Amino acid sequence: MKFNKLVSSSRRKNRKRLFSAPSHIRRKIMSSPLSKELRQKHNVRSMPVRKDDEVMIVRGHLKGQQASKVIQVYRKKYVIHIERITREKANGAPVHVGIHPSKVSNELS
């Protein structure tokens, strides 16, 4: 059911708005859910991710590790880079794995 008649429900238009969004709107899109304690404290369900936030991965094959610090918020690609989450390139160099902020839980803020 559509609640706001001013917002399109067209898949094509929604994808266009997502991929051509300016940086200040991408910040809001790149929000992560808060932990239960922070949810009680701030009375809000999710917040935009910032550099140096403590996050825990809760979805995907990298989930279940202890909370780590956000190194970089890469708005252009809609991903965040997290400390100690790396993989090896073909030449052996380590590179950070990009993770979407909706797949992490913000632990400390």
Side-chain angles (χ1 to χ4, degrees), residues 1-25:
M1 184 173 154
K2 194 167 172 181
F3 292 108
N4 189 348
K5 65 176 183 167
L6 300 175
V7 177
S8 172
S9 58
S10 163
R11 181 171 190 260
R12 178 167 77 172
K13 289 179 185 177
N14 280 312
R15 284 176 57 83
K16 180 177 180 181
R17 286 200 179 95
L18 177 74
F19 295 121
S20 62
S23 184
H24 70 284
I25 293 174

Side-chain angles (χ1 to χ4, degrees), residues 55-72:
V55 297
M56 183 187 292
I57 301 172
V58 293
R59 292 281 182 275
H61 67 279
L62 296 168
K63 74 176 177 183
Q65 299 180 9
Q66 69 274 16
S68 298
K69 196 179 274 193
V70 174
I71 297 171
Q72 179 187 25

Side-chain angles (χ1 to χ4, degrees), residues 86-96:
T86 58
R87 64 184 293 259
E88 297 263 323
K89 282 174 47 171
N91 66 0
V95 336
H96 289 286

Side-chain angles (χ1 to χ4, degrees), residues 22-31 48-50 75:
S23 184
H24 70 284
I25 293 174
R26 285 180 187 233
R27 175 182 175 270
K28 194 165 184 177
I29 294 170
M30 293 181 68
S31 293
V49 178
R50 296 188 304 188
R75 289 187 190 171

